[in-house]
Amino acid sequence: MQYQSQAVAKYYFIAAIGLFVGQILFGTILGLQYVIGDFLFPEIPFNVARMVHTNLLIVWLLFGFMGAAYYMVPEESETELHSTKLALILFWVFLVAGVLTILGYLMVPYATLAKITGNDLLPTMGREFLEQPTITKIGIVVVALGFLYNISMTVLKGRKTVISMVLLLGLWGLAIFFLFSFYNPENLILDKIFWWWVVHLWVEGVWELILGSLLAFVLIKTTGVDREIIEKWLYVIIAMTLITGIIGTGHHYYWIGAPEYWQWWGSIFSALEPIPFFMMVIFAFNMVNRRRREHPNKPAMLWALGTAVMAFLGAGVWGFLHTLSPVNYYTHGTQITAAHGHMAFYGAYVMVVLAIISYAMPLIRGRAAANSVNAQVVEMWSFWLMTVSMVFITLFLTGAGILQVWLQRLGDAPMSFMEVQDKIAIFYWMREIAGVIFLIGLILYIVSFFIGGEERKVAA
Ligand code: HEM
Ligand code: HEM
Ligand SMILES: [Fe+2]
């Protein structure tokens, strides 16, 4: 660690991992509720558990992105953070607001939560991923503004690199598109159109810039390849992301009452969205093959390569699978969607955050360059357990989805939704088993932090 202020990232990383555990615990509860309908009812209804699962995911990824920025930007800018104190204050504000919101979900009925938080003054609640009470949303904006101010001031006073510019663009975009969560038109079509401006333009737009930047940073550090080469890749990747991803939003406008031309625009542009993900695979493997040093932190490199591969599979391949409108006509809102959502989020955003944590944490904790061999072995086990079980979760949900489409939407005598759910329960059981293995992988990941032994140093 070259700058003292980078150490503030540690708080963000620890909070991220803590909330990640919560997310997965609720994931396994949800998975069980899929097959044992009244499990934990009425204490934790399915809709509440689902909201906790998805909101925790978003919140811990945001902690991860912020921690990554606090770690990377001083090093890229070659200067201390503008204000370490502000970063610490905002950390506690965000953590307390986040935890209170989750407790709110769990302790009072959602309608009551809406009432006591003044949702009727400025109604923003009740939409997937954007369920947070309006006051929490305002809190998120305040934290985001303080964070962006801090990071932007640091970049402005120091060296300006492509990596930090792309990161800044992504982070500013993230905050700006979140503002659409305050726009909640009565007209359902408009509501959906702008809801996707948050959700789609995040994961298939500005977050992809953050992804590219984090990946490039970890690759520069672990491979020692020239910055110029990495920067050229980054330019092309982010250009392709924006060219395909912005108009690609149209793949969500097929069936919501938007004009018909979106069938074409959505299909064509979103079909090109896998290109930047594919480029990230070529990029990552190219850099590792051309590496000029053997960095002792093996798990960090494994996470970086894993991110590129799994993001391509989850977003690129599983996204393409259902993105053309004649296909989406059948698969819309089925388990195919859930399969894709899981692998894409895990492969792109979960893994890249774990990659930067894996690279930065040993340095923040004052280790020479990397953890002991034993700690690294356990971390690599956790990589494989989580990644392989996510592949299985995706495959089981894809199996469930194919049968669901077949039984419920094709053929002469389509069955009802619930009849079909009973028929495909075996897939949900298998998903649950894979989910428990995922949880074990995550626990091992945490265990790896507590394994001591002789630290690995840089081998010349
Ligand atoms: C890392 C990037 C991505 C993430 C995290 C992601 C995540 C998700 C999630 C969570 C949903 C479900 C949203 C909902 O209705 O609640 C979704 C839907 C969808 N995604 Fe992605 N996605 C990514 C990239 C892509 C790409 C590159 C494509 C196309 C090639 C794609 C195509 C689709 C389509 C067509 C739907 C709508 C499914 C339906 O009609 O039910 N996604 N995505
Ligand atoms: C890092 C790992 C995980 C990520 C990134 C993740 C992400 C998500 C996302 C984005 C959704 C909303 C999907 C959509 O609307 O299409 C979701 C829903 C869900 N997740 Fe996860 N999840 C993870 C792990 C798990 C695990 C381990 C389980 C269970 C064993 C699980 C079970 C579920 C269930 C049952 C739903 C609700 C699906 C529905 O409404 O039909 N998740 N998850
Ligand atoms: Fe999308």
Side-chain angles (χ1 to χ4, degrees), residues 164-313:
S164 47
M165 287 303 161
V166 172
L167 181 63
L168 264 188
L169 195 63
L171 293 168
W172 273 98
L174 186 159
I176 287 167
F177 285 114
F178 183 68
L179 295 179
F180 284 96
S181 72
F182 290 93
Y183 181 52
N184 189 5
E186 290 271 317
N187 180 316
L188 259 184
I189 299 172
L190 285 177
D191 177 20
K192 274 287 172 193
I193 285 187
F194 289 105
W195 180 80
W196 284 112
W197 282 35
V198 186
V199 178
H200 170 99
L201 290 177
W202 264 8
V203 298
E204 290 154 75
V206 289
W207 285 29
E208 238 175 288
L209 308 191
I210 301 172
L211 167 65
S213 165
L214 265 56
L215 197 58
F217 180 81
V218 175
L219 287 171
I220 278 196
K221 296 292 165 181
T222 52
T223 65
V225 169
D226 278 347
R227 194 171 271 276
E228 290 70 37
I229 301 179
I230 295 215
E231 288 173 348
K232 277 180 198 141
W233 275 97
L234 205 50
Y235 277 128
V236 190
I237 288 172
I238 70 159
M240 285 314 293
T241 296
L242 296 175
I243 291 168
T244 61
I246 294 174
I247 300 179
T249 317
H251 65 179
H252 303 294
Y253 294 170
Y254 299 151
W255 330 114
I256 63 172
E260 203 174 315
Y261 53 76
W262 283 114
Q263 307 282 336
W264 288 97
W265 289 100
S267 295
I268 292 169
F269 277 84
S270 70
L272 302 174
E273 282 182 36
I275 293 173
F277 286 101
F278 185 64
M279 290 176 67
M280 281 189 240
V281 179
I282 310 284
F283 165 56
F285 279 90
N286 231 303
M287 294 308 109
V288 170
N289 286 337
R290 289 200 207 184
R291 68 183 176 276
R292 298 208 309 218
R293 63 165 90 110
E294 291 300 329
H295 198 280
N297 190 339
K298 298 293 169 217
M301 206 179 287
L302 185 61
W303 283 113
L305 289 176
T307 303
V309 172
M310 294 295 290
F312 172 65
L313 287 178

Side-chain angles (χ1 to χ4, degrees), residues 23 27 30 34 50 53 128 342 345 390 431-432 435 438:
Q23 184 222 329
L30 280 169
Y34 243 83
R50 189 186 199 283
H53 178 63
E128 194 197 359
H342 277 85
F345 256 113
M390 186 47 81
R431 180 263 301 269
E432 181 65 359
F438 188 99

Side-chain angles (χ1 to χ4, degrees), residues 50-101:
R50 189 186 199 283
M51 189 161 67
V52 173
H53 178 63
T54 52
N55 281 232
L56 278 175
L57 168 69
I58 304 296
V59 170
W60 85 256
L61 290 178
L62 293 181
F63 268 109
F65 292 165
M66 289 196 269
Y70 285 130
Y71 185 84
M72 285 162 59
V73 166
E75 203 162 306
E76 286 292 299
S77 311
E78 296 183 333
T79 172
E80 293 287 352
L81 202 60
H82 175 68
S83 168
T84 313
K85 204 167 168 190
L86 179 61
L88 259 181
I89 295 172
L90 292 177
F91 168 78
W92 288 110
V93 173
F94 195 40
L95 188 64
V96 171
V99 170
L100 281 181
T101 303

Side-chain angles (χ1 to χ4, degrees), residues 38-45 48 106:
D38 52 7
F39 177 66
L40 286 185
F41 190 82
E43 287 76 23
I44 309 180
V48 173
L106 288 169

Side-chain angles (χ1 to χ4, degrees), residues 327-343:
V327 177
N328 192 264
Y329 180 75
Y330 293 100
T331 60
H332 181 58
T334 61
Q335 295 298 326
I336 303 278
T337 308
H340 155 69
H342 277 85
M343 201 194 242

